[in-house]
Amino acid sequence: MNYRLDIEYDGSRYEGWQRQNRTTNTIQGKIEEVLSKMCETPIEIDGAGRTDAGVHAKGQVANVHLETEKSCEEICEYLNHYLPEDIAVQCVSEAEPRFHSRLLAKEKIYQYRILTGGHKNVFERKYVYPLQETLDIKAMKKAAEKLVGTHDFKSFCSNKKMKKSTVRTIYEIKLEEENGEIRITYRGNGFLYNMVRILTGTLIEVGRGEKMAESIDGILEAKERSGAGFTVPARGLTLSEVRY
């Protein structure tokens, strides 16, 4: 049976989602370890998005093929009993045999949080970037409009050896400012390695006046990582939702 897992996690202490040979400290690795124990055989799962080290998720989706007599509810209970406290499976449901969490994803939504003013927030410190600067939100919105659409986002990818297409479609970038915090929400059909964090760094540089909103067109056309902004810290980024 093919099962869909809806997952959330605090990525602060993990080396990202993807299983790695050099470490067992990944989200995928922890879930596979528990499922392998439950089924008494090695289990591999597929995730919708390979979030970087330190990135969080409220709406990660994975799928896994299991041979088990346990119900969906029992699988979910087993996982949450043995998983660390900072990883939770919200729901386990039966999926169509050909459902694949990554290949069939139509949209992914990420949100980045920037603290621009006010006091240090002790309890939110792992989930926001404490920039503590005043940014020009109007200029950032103008730049964001230029990033919406189908473009070659090679300039916004950290993987210099990327062999696959770097063309992606961003459907919407929404900037909201409230109580000394800017939240940037990205909705697109897919994102390259570090792409959201580089897009955010670029928008911050526009907000600082270090780049002009009009420069975005040239950055896209150049297809050179050096032209885009800095890569913001992972802790402010959360995978909010995957749509099918």
Side-chain angles (χ1 to χ4, degrees):
M1 178 68 70
N2 191 17
Y3 294 92
R4 168 176 167 158
L5 312 180
D6 288 85
I7 307 160
E8 66 178 23
Y9 48 84
D10 178 334
S12 301
R13 68 187 186 95
Y14 295 99
E15 297 295 320
W17 164 268
Q18 191 172 10
R19 178 197 327 110
Q20 299 178 35
N21 292 329
R22 64 179 181 82
T23 178
T24 59
N25 193 37
T26 66
I27 311 296
Q28 182 182 16
K30 294 296 182 185
I31 296 172
E32 288 178 345
E33 183 180 327
V34 174
L35 287 173
S36 298
K37 178 180 178 181
M38 184 186 82
C39 296
E40 298 182 335
T41 188
I43 298 294
E44 294 185 2
I45 67 175
D46 291 297
R50 298 170 180 173
T51 54
D52 302 337
V55 174
H56 317 292
K58 291 181 178 178
Q60 175 70 283
V61 178
N63 74 286
V64 60
H65 293 268
L66 301 173
E67 289 186 15
T68 178
E69 295 181 357
K70 292 183 182 294
S71 66
C72 290
E73 292 76 14
E74 288 171 332
I75 296 170
C76 191
E77 288 176 6
Y78 188 96
L79 281 162
N80 286 324
H81 180 76
Y82 288 103
L83 282 170
E85 290 184 342
D86 47 9
I87 304 174
V89 177
Q90 296 298 312
C91 178
V92 176
S93 54
E94 292 183 4
E96 294 293 325
R98 301 188 68 166
F99 172 74
H100 191 286
S101 59
R102 179 173 56 83
L103 299 178
L104 296 181
K106 296 285 180 63
E107 295 182 7
K108 294 175 184 175
I109 301 173
Y110 284 88
Q111 186 176 84
Y112 198 90
R113 298 174 59 192
I114 306 164
L115 199 63
T116 57
H119 301 289
K120 278 176 63 177
N121 192 324
V122 174
F123 298 105
E124 291 285 294
R125 71 190 187 283
K126 294 190 292 183
Y127 314 109
V128 297
Y129 174 32
L131 191 64
Q132 304 291 0
E133 295 178 24
T134 300
L135 300 174
D136 185 342
I137 191 78
K138 289 184 179 179
M140 293 171 72
K141 287 181 177 180
K142 187 177 179 181
E145 289 175 3
K146 292 181 173 292
L147 292 164
V148 173
T150 302
H151 305 286
D152 187 334
F153 285 98
K154 188 174 182 179
S155 295
F156 299 89
C157 178
S158 288
N159 185 358
K160 295 180 181 179
K161 299 179 181 179
M162 184 78 172
K163 295 180 180 179
K164 297 181 180 179
S165 172
T166 47
V167 174
R168 297 291 187 274
T169 300
I170 295 180
Y171 303 116
E172 181 183 27
I173 302 176
K174 183 164 62 175
L175 285 87
E176 302 168 288
E177 187 175 25
E178 187 177 1
N179 299 326
E181 182 181 319
I182 294 176
R183 297 189 179 196
I184 310 177
T185 304
Y186 300 87
R187 181 170 63 89
N189 66 353
F191 296 91
L192 304 168
Y193 180 56
N194 283 166
M195 178 173 160
V196 174
R197 292 166 62 190
I198 298 169
L199 288 169
T200 302
T202 305
L203 292 178
I204 287 173
E205 291 185 5
V206 170
R208 286 171 167 168
E210 296 171 356
K211 281 183 170 58
M212 301 298 291
E214 292 75 17
S215 68
I216 297 297
D217 294 331
I219 294 171
L220 286 166
E221 290 171 8
K223 300 177 186 177
E224 289 287 342
R225 170 67 188 92
S226 59
F230 71 105
T231 305
V232 293
R235 65 180 179 177
L237 183 60
T238 298
L239 172 59
S240 301
E241 185 182 353
V242 181
R243 295 177 178 175
Y244 295 91

